[in-house]
Amino acid sequence: MVGLEMQVAGAVAGALTMYLGVKRYQSGCGVQLVAATEPSDSFMAQCGSANMRALLETHAGGLLDDQMVPTPWLPSGMLQTVYCTMVGLKTDASTRVAYRRELLTLADQGTVSVDWHNEGRERVALVVPGLGGSSYEYHVRALAQRLGARGYTVAVMNHRGSGRTPLTSARLYNAYDTEDLAAVVRHVAAQPGVRHLVAVGYSLGANLLTKHLGEAGAGALIRAGVAVCCPFDTAVAGRALDARGWLNDHVFQPNLVATIKRLVKRNLAVFRAADLAYDLDAVMRATRMSQLDNLVTAPTYGHKDCWAYYAAASSAPYVAKVLRPLLALNTADDPITPMEGVPLEAVRRNPHVAVAVCRHGGHLGFFTGLKPRIWYLDHVATFLDAALAHADTQCASGADEGPRLATPADAESFAFPFAPYAIQLDFMQRLFEAIEQRSLGVFESPTGTGKSLSLLCGALTWLRQHEQRLAKQTEVADDPAAADKAGKADEPDWVRAYARRERQRKREDAAGERETRQRRYDAWVARTRRREAAAAGQGAARPNKRRRTDGGDGDDGLSDSDLLVADYRSGSDGSDGSSDADDSDGEPEEPRGTQIVFASRTHSQLQQLMGELKRTAHAQGLRALTLGGRSQLCAHPRERLRPAAQLNERCLAMQQTRAERCPLLPARRTPLLDFRAAAHAHGPADIEDLALIGRRLHVCAYYGARAAAPAAHLVAMPYNVLLSAAARQAMHVDLRGCVVVVDEAHNLVDAVLAVHSPVLDQPAVDRLAACVAAYRSRYWRRLSPENTRHVLQLGALLRALTRYMRGVAQAHRGAEGASVRVLRVNAFLHDARAEQFNVHAVARYLRVSQLGRKLNMFHDRHASDAAAGPPDAAAAQQGATSPAAAIAALESFIACIGSPERAAARVVVAADGGAARLKYLLLDPAEPFAEILRDARAVILAGGTMAPADDLVRQLRPADRPDDARLFSWPHVVDASHVCATVVASGPTARPLRFARADLAGSAGLSDAGLALAALCRVVPGGVVVFFPSYALLRRAHALWQESQVLARIEKAKHRVLAEDNSRTTGGAAEDILQEYSRCVAQRGGAVLLSVVGGRLSEGINFSDALGRAVVMVGLPFPNLGDAELRARLDYCDAKEESGDMGPRARAMYDALCMRAVNQSIGRAIRHRNDYAAIIFFDVRYAEPRIADKLPRWITDAGSAHASPLKPLPFGPALAQIAAFFKRDFASK
Ligand code: SF4
């Protein structure tokens, strides 16, 4: 009996184990989706869904709910793939289709065939087979039958020579040449009765389809696509297929090779007649695809070998450009197109593309069920149905916007405040086109060409016309008669009625959605105003509740409850806790139109911009404002006197309690709504205008500007707001669909890197650790368990960092200078013994819980009575950095090191002066900039001197974005004859002028440069500005020239030699030098200013007219290769981590760093069309093509006006050329 029970129990346990095992196995067979996680306006415009994920979840949900449980006897990718190969020609009930063949002759007399099935339908699905595939393959027939049953006409394209298509030219097909596919697409789309064209590609065919969609972008005739087992990265697929292994060697390779050989054999006559250099005998002997590609494909298309061909054939770079719904189906066990090649990050960034990954299925298998059947057939049909139903009939990007805007031909259309020069008109026209075409544009227009005005007028003209276009679209949709006219004249009534209903629905979905949101928002505003007006009336009679009484014990009005962090749940996303003002409670999001987001380096540049804008007719009725910081806009009588960092923290802390709340930011919304209305009615409002409005209405202008930003047509902001996602979020800046214009963008790479490279110093970490410890010991009884756990984690992490930094400082004690080490992030975590911490979770906790603010208030309270407070607090108050500032630095530092995606990052560990410092060093600016490129409609980078612009684009453009940047450069407004550019190869004593590090051992060259300068000063009128690569060289030259009396000779000609001094580089000192220099030039007819490239007098200073008749560049300011951070960037550039060599990309970047600085310095002279100057290079290397190519065009053009382009001249002829320039051309001026 007991034995029976045991057997039953064993059987039950066995069955249960099997059941659970199967369940677990099945649960692993769900479909993983990779898709854009953020909604995208552009996709909304196209598909009426938030994004690809929404489209799949809402309208093709079956795919995501389904599981691809493989056939039990085909459990691996290899077996699935082999089975797919074996059943290639099998016919059963599910694959029996009848085709009608059509042969298409292509432009080169080659032939492809199209096999038609179920003809005569409005919806056509084009199927593109893979390598060696054709319409007769099992999976192609199965799909054709299923799509036919779902109401599609199916057109299967057979590549040249495939599926018994005659080979009529010696050219075969390959993995990247999309010409044939484009021809077939055009042909199919042009067939009578075809209204909607979709496509499905398999393997190589999927690669071609993806590439074609990327190339066609908004103009693609295909409305939606599915890519099955797309390799994306063909080099990865090539390697996988070429790897040695039984299945590759005995199944896949022989199969593919035999197919291609058959094709060649059948068409030997064609190849022989074409007299191609192929070794046909070798082709017939080949046993691997790589051999065939080496023999045929690579030479045909001009590649060195098959690997170069595979590298060039990838469709991955085109993923970012796809503007049609594209679903990729891949499997995790695909032996031929492994997941390694799928560009997941690019897919995440493109809201039009999604990848659905099945755990099993192999290459093109996807067999499920005991009797194998293909799993995806219905899903493909459902997705295509959904994409067609929810994509507009004119689904082009911008098609919903209406027809493409024509570029205005005349100056009047741009409302330029005066008659523009030809280059200004051209600038505005190219800008208009770049915005309309959603481009990344680099615009270089030298100083004096009215760049700011051109940017404003070009962008605002586009915005005005774009808004008119959108309004017109809504009118057409509203007017059935007008809409009907847009249809075909011979359409039957029911088709017109259907189309009308569809248009109506879409209008309600898209434009209607916008209107609904606007109505909802307006209603909220009206309701809020009414409610608050009523409350204000009653409030007069009600006594004021001044202070909470729940244990409040501080003189600061704060209770202990105010200092406690709110309950925290690990799963909360923090989205509701990240705002630093409680002004969003219950407020619906304000609808935004398309905005121009204008960024520049400094507030004074933004101030000038608004001034320019006010001069134009665009200012009329324009809502434009500048976003500033609290330090510029705060009107609180006491708080605004604090330093910026303290003001920020104090302002945030004040918002935490009702009693402390700033009177200029009342809890009521009406004052901010009043501010918003006033700011919008004002016209373009700069910082001063906003501050005035704030004072007039007695409202905080800082929060007022933030509230007014969403509804503005143009929002101006400094770089740091644009470049930081957190700052954008805090300032309510949403870049989706916006036009981003970055002025003075030559330093953008440095700005991006600086914004994303937070620094932690040792005193801040020490203080923070002490403060956290004090906070925990005070509140440990009242913190929730979750909070306690996280505060403990934070404390432990801080202690680990403190120990590590003390150790670093200790090790360096007594050493000379600073020590710097650059570590990989994991190596740093290991060294700091912080590997066991989940730094990502800690960062998240800090962000969500806002512990930093609580710590700050806690610190403030105990700082005010440190003697009575806990000893930790007294320690915590020493030094300048408050806990909030320190915790903000810690938060961004650990958010960075906890970010798993960031491969392009290091941690710099530095020790100097007895303290250590940690810096997160971002190496690749393209990574954070990708978000801006993804969200914005167009990104325009403008500047007076953008050269070398190609390096700027290379650094900012993500690797997976196609090279679609458009570079524009205009000549200077001055005629080339107003510039004399001269490279002086040697000095008066014939010593070569060359100042590379190795050349500076002796002082002969420098001495000769002094003599040359003295001679020049006799022939150059007015002021001469001399730039050195470093302060060290400037000081050395100054001392040498003084000693040798060269300075006295120069002063004889120019009265005064002034030298910039980095020991006194405060703004005031630099200003004094500049004033004295200007005075000497104005009153005594000349002076010489010795300055440094990149110093305070090299950027943003105007040396126009007599202030800069000559600019002399002594040497080339290459950055110091001893700088560990620079070295890390260069190494990363060419992925030459250990070799120490500088590869071609690093070399280009290094040269560009130098030349960008040179170009900024020489751009200080010649500021308007009547100005003139000599630009003189005291270093023969300026004539080398590698350097000369990176000079601005107005310099190289000028060189050709006076001599051959920048040909190095010995001193005598150089001096004669410069003297002649001033004597001949400008003697009378
Ligand atoms: S709310 Fe505005 S006015 Fe008040 S302290 Fe903060 S920035 Fe200043």
Side-chain angles (χ1 to χ4, degrees):
M1 203 55 193
V2 173
L4 183 62
E5 279 173 5
M6 291 281 286
Q7 280 177 16
V8 170
V12 169
L16 194 64
T17 308
M18 191 179 291
Y19 173 77
L20 290 174
V22 169
K23 274 277 162 209
R24 193 159 167 209
Y25 180 76
Q26 278 195 345
S27 68
C29 296
V31 179
Q32 303 292 314
L33 185 72
V34 181
T37 51
E38 296 294 329
S40 153
D41 282 350
S42 56
F43 197 84
M44 283 168 74
Q46 273 201 34
C47 298
S49 304
N51 60 9
M52 196 72 173
R53 182 184 288 278
L55 181 73
L56 287 163
E57 284 173 353
T58 313
H59 306 293
L63 173 69
L64 303 184
D65 297 337
D66 202 2
Q67 293 177 325
M68 170 33 223
V69 183
T71 296
W73 46 276
L74 298 173
S76 76
M78 282 290 183
L79 291 174
Q80 288 262 341
T81 312
V82 171
Y83 186 76
C84 178
T85 313
M86 282 166 49
V87 296
L89 294 176
K90 178 183 162 192
T91 304
D92 56 23
S94 67
T95 56
R96 212 161 279 129
V97 290
Y99 290 124
R100 176 184 70 84
R101 173 154 293 191
E102 182 183 18
L103 296 179
L104 289 185
T105 304
L106 302 167
D108 69 334
Q109 299 308 307
T111 302
V112 292
S113 62
V114 179
D115 286 345
W116 293 89
H117 167 66
N118 196 36
E119 289 177 79
R121 308 301 179 108
E122 281 186 339
R123 301 186 302 174
V124 177
L126 174 66
V127 181
V128 191
L131 180 64
S134 73
S135 58
Y136 292 99
E137 282 183 301
Y138 182 82
H139 52 267
V140 174
R141 281 178 285 128
L143 179 72
Q145 201 202 55
R146 191 64 55 93
L147 288 175
R150 297 278 290 253
Y152 287 86
T153 288
V154 179
V156 186
M157 169 186 177
N158 293 304
H159 303 286
R160 297 165 182 248
S162 294
R164 299 203 168 258
T165 304
L167 196 72
T168 52
S169 86
R171 183 173 146 198
L172 288 172
Y173 63 98
N174 68 22
Y176 72 90
D177 189 346
T178 52
E179 251 178 56
D180 293 359
L181 175 58
V184 172
V185 166
R186 283 195 299 273
H187 174 74
V188 172
Q191 296 306 298
V194 174
R195 287 176 67 87
H196 311 302
L197 176 61
V198 294
V200 181
Y202 285 101
S203 193
L204 174 142
N207 196 61
L208 289 169
L209 173 62
T210 305
K211 186 163 179 274
H212 169 75
L213 286 173
E215 286 168 343
L221 295 170
I222 295 171
R223 299 256 314 276
V226 177
V228 184
C229 295
C230 179
F232 291 107
D233 186 332
T234 38
V236 170
R239 277 199 301 275
L241 190 61
D242 203 51
R244 290 287 170 181
W246 190 87
L247 281 168
N248 261 0
D249 294 350
H250 296 92
V251 182
F252 304 146
Q253 289 278 3
N255 209 23
L256 283 170
V257 169
T259 309
I260 303 297
K261 276 188 190 173
R262 269 200 305 275
L263 190 161
V264 174
K265 205 169 175 182
R266 265 204 311 268
N267 298 286
L268 269 180
V270 178
F271 288 110
R272 295 223 158 97
D275 196 21
L276 292 172
Y278 302 148
D279 182 348
L280 291 173
D281 296 332
V283 168
M284 299 319 287
R285 282 197 308 273
T287 55
R288 302 185 77 76
M289 273 311 297
S290 54
Q291 291 169 344
L292 280 178
D293 284 328
N294 269 332
L295 290 165
V296 179
T297 321
T300 305
Y301 291 92
H303 297 291
K304 185 168 63 107
D305 57 19
C306 66
W307 300 107
Y309 154 56
Y310 298 153
S314 296
S315 60
Y318 294 85
V319 168
K321 291 198 83 179
V322 172
L323 293 172
R324 293 283 186 269
L326 174 66
L327 172 67
L329 291 176
N330 285 71
T331 69
D333 62 0
D334 188 329
I336 295 178
T337 58
M339 282 300 292
E340 187 193 341
V342 181
L344 297 178
E345 204 42 52
V347 171
R348 282 195 191 96
R349 289 195 196 123
N350 187 341
H352 311 283
V353 184
V355 177
V357 186
C358 295
R359 192 171 175 185
H360 304 287
H363 189 66
L364 302 182
F366 294 90
F367 291 107
T368 187
L370 269 179
K371 187 178 170 200
R373 61 191 156 76
I374 298 174
W375 167 82
Y376 56 75
L377 300 177
D378 275 326
H379 291 312
V380 168
T382 305
F383 169 75
L384 294 174
D385 286 351
L388 285 180
H390 296 277
D392 188 78
T393 48
Q394 309 170 57
C395 184
S397 158
D400 278 15
E401 298 175 341
R404 177 162 285 189
L405 294 175
T407 306
D410 54 76
E412 290 72 42
S413 306
F414 287 102
F416 208 68
F418 45 82
Y421 302 137
I423 60 168
Q424 288 169 329
L425 178 59
D426 194 42
F427 185 108
M428 291 186 286
Q429 288 173 327
R430 300 295 80 78
L431 178 68
F432 189 101
E433 282 167 8
I435 297 173
E436 178 66 5
Q437 291 166 20
R438 301 168 181 264
S439 301
L440 164 62
V442 179
F443 285 67
E444 180 184 60
S445 186
T447 307
T449 53
K451 170 173 52 70
S452 301
L453 261 181
S454 304
L455 281 170
L456 286 169
C457 292
L460 289 169
T461 300
W462 175 85
L463 183 65
R464 199 182 61 233
Q465 295 197 11
H466 174 66
E467 288 190 336
Q468 287 166 358
R469 168 171 64 180
L470 288 180
K472 212 168 183 178
Q473 284 300 103
T474 310
E475 279 167 25
V476 170
D478 275 336
D479 177 1
D484 279 351
K485 271 185 224 150
K488 290 179 187 167
D490 55 354
E491 278 173 344
D493 285 350
W494 68 269
V495 172
R496 284 169 175 266
Y498 173 78
R500 205 160 40 235
R501 275 201 307 279
E502 277 292 286
R503 277 193 293 272
Q504 177 68 11
R505 186 184 59 73
K506 287 191 180 87
R507 188 183 67 79
E508 284 167 8
D509 282 358
E513 189 185 335
R514 213 165 37 237
E515 287 163 15
T516 308
R517 277 192 286 146
Q518 186 66 54
R519 270 200 303 277
R520 194 182 305 141
Y521 183 76
D522 292 344
W524 174 84
V525 169
R527 215 170 41 244
T528 303
R529 283 183 181 281
R530 272 198 311 275
R531 197 181 57 225
E532 292 188 346
Q538 291 168 9
R542 201 183 293 158
N544 243 353
K545 282 190 185 169
R546 287 289 305 157
R547 192 167 291 188
R548 287 157 62 175
T549 54
D550 54 346
D553 54 0
D555 294 338
D556 51 8
L558 296 175
S559 70
D560 273 354
S561 305
D562 292 327
L563 299 181
L564 272 173
V565 274
D567 280 356
Y568 174 79
R569 279 176 295 114
S570 298
S572 63
D573 64 1
S575 54
D576 53 356
S578 56
S579 168
D580 61 1
D582 57 350
D583 58 358
S584 59
D585 181 28
E587 178 176 340
E589 194 186 341
E590 187 170 6
R592 296 165 189 261
T594 306
Q595 283 184 319
I596 309 289
V597 171
F598 201 106
S600 196
R601 206 155 47 91
T602 63
H603 270 290
S604 65
Q605 282 163 341
L606 294 174
Q607 196 85 346
Q608 280 172 19
L609 179 92
M610 283 294 170
E612 301 258 29
L613 179 54
K614 287 173 188 173
R615 289 166 53 203
T616 71
H618 294 286
Q620 194 71 30
L622 188 78
R623 299 191 293 269
L625 55 88
T626 306
L627 291 175
R630 287 184 177 86
S631 54
Q632 290 147 322
L633 290 168
C634 176
H636 192 288
R638 192 180 63 243
E639 306 300 344
R640 72 189 167 91
L641 304 176
R642 292 176 184 265
Q646 279 185 24
L647 168 60
N648 286 341
E649 293 150 21
R650 183 70 195 136
C651 173
L652 293 172
M654 284 163 73
Q655 291 167 36
Q656 302 290 308
T657 62
R658 200 172 280 249
E660 279 276 292
R661 195 173 172 98
C662 175
L664 294 164
L665 186 64
R668 289 182 302 119
R669 304 296 165 79
T670 302
L672 274 186
L673 292 174
D674 291 343
F675 184 98
R676 182 162 35 189
H680 288 162
H682 180 278
D686 57 25
I687 294 284
E688 285 172 12
D689 297 325
L690 293 170
L692 264 176
I693 296 170
R695 280 201 288 279
R696 180 158 53 81
L697 298 176
H698 203 62
V699 179
C700 171
Y702 171 74
Y703 282 107
R706 284 178 20 158
H713 296 114
L714 184 147
V715 184
M717 64 191 68
Y719 275 2
N720 55 344
V721 176
L722 173 73
L723 299 179
S724 156
R728 290 200 300 271
Q729 191 187 2
M731 301 301 272
H732 298 189
V733 175
D734 185 347
L735 296 182
R736 284 175 295 169
C738 287
V739 175
V740 173
V741 180
V742 185
D743 198 9
E744 302 296 333
H746 55 275
N747 278 336
L748 195 58
V749 167
D750 292 341
V752 175
L753 294 176
V755 165
H756 296 89
S757 297
V759 175
L760 264 187
D761 63 39
Q762 192 181 342
V765 177
D766 288 350
R767 277 196 300 279
L768 198 52
C771 190
V772 169
Y775 182 83
R776 187 177 58 78
S777 72
R778 173 82 183 226
Y779 294 115
W780 67 273
R781 286 174 202 278
R782 300 181 60 184
L783 290 171
S784 70
E786 190 83 345
N787 276 324
T788 303
R789 191 166 66 80
H790 282 95
V791 171
L792 281 170
Q793 273 269 325
L794 174 64
L797 176 61
L798 283 167
R799 282 197 301 282
L801 290 179
T802 304
R803 268 197 306 276
Y804 177 68
M805 293 171 89
R806 280 185 188 158
V808 169
Q810 186 76 32
H812 180 257
R813 194 148 292 153
E816 287 269 310
S819 84
V820 180
R821 277 196 310 148
V822 180
L823 303 174
R824 286 177 170 271
V825 174
N826 283 342
F828 160 73
L829 290 172
H830 175 79
D831 280 11
R833 296 177 196 267
E835 280 165 315
Q836 75 275 23
F837 296 106
N838 183 346
V839 283
H840 187 66
V842 176
R844 196 164 163 284
Y845 175 72
L846 289 173
R847 178 171 54 84
V848 176
S849 69
Q850 300 184 41
L851 176 68
R853 289 185 202 165
K854 304 295 178 185
L855 286 175
N856 199 48
M857 289 192 283
F858 176 76
H859 169 268
D860 274 0
R861 165 186 283 191
H862 293 294
S864 61
D865 55 2
D872 298 344
Q877 68 165 326
Q878 293 166 11
T881 315
S882 69
I887 216 158
L890 177 78
E891 195 178 317
S892 46
F893 181 80
I894 61 179
C896 288
I897 60 173
S899 175
E901 298 92 33
R902 288 210 168 150
R906 301 288 181 270
V907 176
V908 180
V909 183
D912 194 11
R917 189 175 60 97
L918 303 176
K919 179 180 180 181
Y920 175 85
L921 181 68
L922 180 67
L923 300 173
D924 183 4
E927 190 189 305
F929 203 69
E931 202 177 324
I932 295 174
L933 288 173
R934 180 198 68 193
D935 286 352
R937 174 198 179 97
V939 175
I940 307 298
L941 310 180
T945 310
M946 299 298 284
D950 51 348
D951 173 78
L952 182 76
V953 170
R954 197 167 40 234
Q955 292 202 54
L956 290 174
R957 193 187 60 231
D960 56 13
R961 187 180 162 113
D963 189 359
D964 59 351
R966 308 179 70 195
L967 311 183
F968 300 97
S969 177
W970 283 270
H972 214 293
V973 278
V974 298
D975 188 81
S977 64
H978 284 223
V979 186
C980 175
T982 307
V983 177
V984 185
S986 54
T989 63
R991 288 194 186 97
L993 292 184
R994 190 185 154 93
F995 298 101
R997 197 169 293 267
D999 304 314
L1000 287 168
S1003 51
L1006 214 49
S1007 176
D1008 233 20
L1011 295 174
L1013 180 63
L1016 274 175
C1017 284
R1018 288 201 300 274
V1019 299
V1020 177
V1024 176
V1025 185
V1026 185
F1027 283 105
F1028 289 85
S1030 67
Y1031 285 103
L1033 192 64
L1034 185 155
R1035 277 195 291 270
R1036 206 174 133 195
H1038 193 269
L1040 186 72
W1041 296 349
Q1042 196 158 35
E1043 195 185 304
S1044 60
Q1045 298 296 311
V1046 169
L1047 279 190
R1049 287 165 67 178
I1050 297 173
E1051 284 187 338
K1052 208 166 167 193
K1054 288 288 169 202
H1055 306 293
R1056 186 87 196 264
V1057 177
L1058 292 131
E1060 190 184 354
D1061 181 356
N1062 67 334
S1063 63
R1064 307 189 294 131
T1065 48
T1066 59
E1071 193 61 30
D1072 291 347
I1073 291 173
L1074 195 60
Q1075 267 184 18
E1076 178 61 10
Y1077 172 74
S1078 308
R1079 192 189 62 75
C1080 289
V1081 171
Q1083 295 176 6
R1084 320 245 346 235
V1088 173
L1089 178 62
L1090 306 183
S1091 186
V1092 168
V1093 177
R1096 294 192 73 89
L1097 298 177
S1098 67
E1099 276 202 46
I1101 309 283
N1102 184 343
F1103 291 119
S1104 63
D1105 298 322
L1107 281 180
R1109 282 291 174 236
V1111 171
V1112 180
M1113 298 297 307
V1114 179
L1116 278 152
F1118 282 106
N1120 182 3
L1121 280 174
D1123 180 337
E1125 294 184 16
L1126 173 69
R1127 201 64 246 188
R1129 275 184 72 194
L1130 294 173
D1131 287 346
Y1132 176 78
C1133 233
D1134 280 316
K1136 292 196 167 191
E1137 202 63 34
E1138 308 300 340
S1139 72
D1141 299 345
M1142 214 190 283
R1145 284 198 59 171
R1147 181 83 241 174
M1149 187 178 107
Y1150 187 60
D1151 289 350
L1153 283 170
C1154 166
M1155 293 312 293
R1156 197 164 287 127
V1158 167
N1159 293 343
Q1160 285 309 309
S1161 297
I1162 58 183
R1164 301 303 94 211
I1166 312 187
R1167 311 290 289 182
H1168 58 86
R1169 67 181 302 136
N1170 295 320
D1171 206 352
Y1172 58 97
I1175 310 295
I1176 304 157
F1177 300 102
F1178 274 10
D1179 197 312
V1180 70
R1181 290 174 294 166
Y1182 280 99
E1184 292 172 11
R1186 174 171 72 90
I1187 300 298
D1189 287 351
K1190 295 183 176 66
L1191 287 165
R1193 251 181 65 191
W1194 60 273
I1195 288 285
T1196 41
D1197 289 355
S1200 57
H1202 291 272
S1204 56
L1206 294 179
K1207 183 178 163 215
L1209 297 175
F1211 178 70
L1215 185 68
Q1217 177 173 294
I1218 295 162
F1221 169 74
F1222 286 107
K1223 208 166 169 184
R1224 183 192 64 222
D1225 298 337
F1226 300 103
S1228 60
K1229 299 193 181 178

